Amino acid sequence: MARVIERDITSTVAEFDASLRAAAAGRIEGRASHYRIGWDDVMLEIDVVPGPERRIALLRLPTLRVTYRFVGGSEAAQRALLARLDRAMHRGGG
């Protein structure tokens, strides 16, 4: 059975794409709305859909609904891959 994780993130599709490609260089297939990443025995499919804009006073923030679907590998290996991607894609903030 596939393990599925859904997240709402603040990002544009282009920013997410660039960050993901840097995080999984040489291991990624697909483009802007659907990706596949093979890492050791883990296969991960990622779907990205633009979400509603968030507004804080005059600040407007784009959002994405990101679905991570693990279709292979142990749960420990899946967690390790997701942690690796999260660390590599983390953006600073104040």
Side-chain angles (χ1 to χ4, degrees):
M1 186 165 124
R3 179 173 170 233
V4 177
I5 298 171
E6 293 183 340
R7 293 180 173 170
D8 291 318
I9 65 168
T10 303
S11 180
T12 65
V13 172
E15 290 169 339
F16 182 87
D17 183 79
S19 294
L20 184 64
R21 290 188 183 284
R27 298 176 185 260
I28 189 167
E29 299 174 12
R31 58 187 168 87
S33 62
H34 183 76
Y35 305 91
R36 283 179 64 94
I37 298 172
W39 203 291
D40 298 330
D41 66 336
V42 178
M43 182 59 65
L44 171 61
E45 296 178 350
I46 302 172
D47 291 307
V48 179
V49 177
E53 184 177 80
R54 286 194 183 121
R55 291 182 153 203
I56 303 170
L58 297 177
L59 183 63
R60 300 165 65 176
L61 302 169
T63 67
L64 301 173
R65 180 69 170 174
V66 181
T67 303
Y68 298 87
R69 184 175 301 103
F70 291 94
V71 292
S74 68
E75 188 172 335
Q78 293 171 2
R79 281 194 308 268
L81 174 55
L82 189 56
R84 178 188 307 262
L85 294 177
D86 285 346
R87 275 191 311 275
M89 295 176 67
H90 182 77
R91 297 183 312 189

